[in-house]
Amino acid sequence: MAKEYKLKDLSALSLKPGEMQEVEVEGVESGKVLLINAGGSIQAVGSKCTHYGAPLVKGILTASGRITCPWHGACFKAKSGDIEDAPALDSLSVFPVAERDGAVYISGEEEAIKSGRRKPNFQCRAAAASKPQEQKVLVVGGGSGALGVVDGLKENGYEGPITVISSEGYLPIDRPKLSKALSTDPDKIAWRDGAWYKSGAVDIVDDEVTGVDFAKNAVHTKKGETISYSKLVLSTGGTPRRLPLQGFKTLGNVFTLRTIDDTKKIVGAVGDKGKKIVIIGSSFIGMEVGKALSSGNSISIVGMEKVPLERVLGEEVGAGLQKGLEALGVKFYLSASVEKAEASAADASKVGAVVLKDGTRLEADLVILGVGVAPATAYLRDNSAVSLERDGSLKVNEKFVVEGLKNVYAIGDIATFPYHGPGGDGRPTRIEHWSVAQNAGRAVARDITHPKEAPWSFIPVFWSALSGQLRYCGNASAGWDDIVIQGNPAEGKFVAYYCRGETVLAMSAMGRDPVLAQCSTLMYENKMPSKSQIVGGLDVLTVNVN
Ligand SMILES: Cc1cc2nc3c(=O)[nH]c(=O)nc-3n(C[C@H](O)[C@H](O)[C@H](O)COP(=O)(O)OP(=O)(O)OC[C@H]3O[C@@H](n4cnc5c(N)ncnc54)[C@H](O)[C@@H]3O)c2cc1C
Ligand SMILES: *[C@@H]1O[C@H](CO)[C@@H](O)[C@H](O)[C@H]1NC(C)=O
Ligand code: FES
């Protein structure tokens, strides 16, 4: 039951447009709301981001009423609390604000004030069931892209049937946690539980798609089913690469990391700690899993680049991140090539060492490969109706519709899409990040429910848990010609701007919140300062986002 609750603070009365403040609610234990003046009217919404709970008051608010979370860039509409941008899924609760006798009140339910969040409504199920079913959305894959499609359809009032076919064996999980916390229980990191999908009539099918008949609008599965669609969304993600070198395909205790099945095997092999672990690949997965396992084990990371993540973040930032992990005891073998894996003396079926081309021999109880992924599109390889890009991905247009096909979308790690962020110019780009897949899913949902609307272009954001929290927005695939760094990457406190000419293509940061939220907002509003302004000492946090 909705009730009135008094706020402990009168600040609502003095908030100026574009300002926000967190205020405690009387009579609700640890109840807090975020008061916002969006366009002249005062609103109260949930105070915590529905992704990982960041205090939204520390984020960025535009005069148009868009709040960006300080941690990983999720956006909400201040007026409605609606989610606008991944990685959060739930929207914020909204509470009407009233002023009376010199006091400020909100009205709402105690539970909603406590949680501050609401899941998408499943409206009018009964009515929908009796309607002629014109649409049938079929999603292939149970990852981030699929979550974006399903939640997006529900938010937009889609009432037709939705089927999700996933070969992963459990409900969609928070995949980024796998390399950060080595989670092994899918129920603990599932974003939505089975009851939620059921109540929304979302049918989750445990099966694998083996082929698509685009002419007949149907997919074929491993279990022998044929499932039809009116709209098909392909979001099958990536298959981790293995090394085509001696020993790596035959020896046990050599692992990749993409699913719960993988973390279970890794955690099992690590056992009581004290293990020698060789990680091949100094990109995000390798660095994160190295950090996650660093306490109690001896970790060696082997990389081809001069410093980890050099290609993505540049040499100085990469060197700083290396220092951060070295401080945790991680050893690096860089500018290195792997020759082979050798069997263990104790058990010839398992790995015992990794040998580098320069002769270095690294003893290993287990090996983890973080050497990239290939788009998981094997089920389309021999399909004459579609041609895969050279990397195995599908080329899509601004609305994520697959080139040459109707009613078929591709999103996430398998999609090469026209990039329209800073310096993008529509360049075909494939970005393997959690929020990008989910936002593309939302864009597809929007196109299904509102086909006449212009395509939505979002600013890519990602994060990584290294010696500190790394945050990044934009994309530098146009190629940077300079990197402007403020602060010191080796101390885990910096902002780096990747520039091409005067354009800031992208930025990375650590220990400098909310600079990511500020920059992603400025990029979204097309107001990112130029390189010269930044070199001239401009603090981006002082730039007006409106
Ligand atoms: C360990 C790890 C950590 C990560 N950490 C981060 C991070 O911190 N930040 C970040 O931005 N990104 C991170 N990423 C990347 C991010 O998870 C991916 O970019 C994102 O999951 C892509 O979403 P997707 O929907 O394209 O694919 P996925 O999430 O991989 O989902 C693909 C789904 O399709 C299913 N599938 C595949 N083939 C078939 C088939 N033929 N039939 C039926 N189902 C099929 C799979 O089982 C899976 O359920 C991480 C990735 C990994 C592996
Ligand atoms: C930018 O896009 C390219 C593809 O064009 C991709 O390879 C790269 O990983 C992206 N960079 C980041 C940091 O997301
Ligand atoms: S906590 Fe807000 S986006 Fe992650």
Side-chain angles (χ1 to χ4, degrees), residues 242-263:
R242 296 203 144 246
L243 287 177
L245 299 170
Q246 187 189 325
F248 284 97
K249 289 210 165 143
T250 48
L251 293 169
N253 277 4
V254 177
F255 306 109
T256 53
L257 178 45
R258 185 86 191 175
T259 63
I260 294 263
D261 201 35
D262 298 330
T263 48

Side-chain angles (χ1 to χ4, degrees), residues 461-546:
V461 169
F462 78 86
W463 67 95
S464 182
L466 302 171
S467 48
Q469 298 292 327
L470 178 83
R471 325 223 186 268
Y472 184 103
C473 71
N475 181 277
S477 66
W480 69 70
D481 52 33
D482 199 6
I483 305 178
V484 180
I485 297 180
Q486 298 170 342
N488 185 356
E491 286 165 8
K493 256 186 177 304
F494 70 93
V495 190
Y497 298 95
Y498 302 86
C499 308
R500 182 181 180 85
E502 280 296 312
T503 307
V504 177
L505 303 172
M507 60 77 73
S508 66
M510 207 183 246
R512 283 288 179 88
D513 294 342
V515 74
L516 164 96
Q518 174 79 353
C519 289
S520 63
T521 303
L522 290 169
M523 286 181 184
Y524 186 78
E525 303 284 344
N526 223 340
K527 293 201 167 84
M528 190 67 194
S530 67
K531 176 185 162 187
S532 307
Q533 286 174 298
I534 288 168
V535 171
L538 176 70
D539 176 357
V540 287
L541 288 175
T542 63
V543 178
N544 187 348
V545 291
N546 300 305

Side-chain angles (χ1 to χ4, degrees), residues 140-146 165-168 175-180 207-210 235-238 257-258 285 288 376 379 411-414 431-435 437 461-465:
V140 185
S144 185
I165 306 180
S166 170
S167 57
E168 206 166 323
R175 197 174 311 288
K177 289 219 169 115
L178 295 182
S179 49
K180 296 167 186 73
D207 203 345
E208 183 185 326
V209 167
T210 50
S235 189
T236 42
L257 178 45
R258 185 86 191 175
I285 301 281
E288 286 190 345
Y379 57 98
I411 56 176
D413 289 3
I414 62 167
I431 301 180
E432 292 168 0
H433 292 307
W434 183 257
S435 295
V461 169
F462 78 86
W463 67 95
S464 182

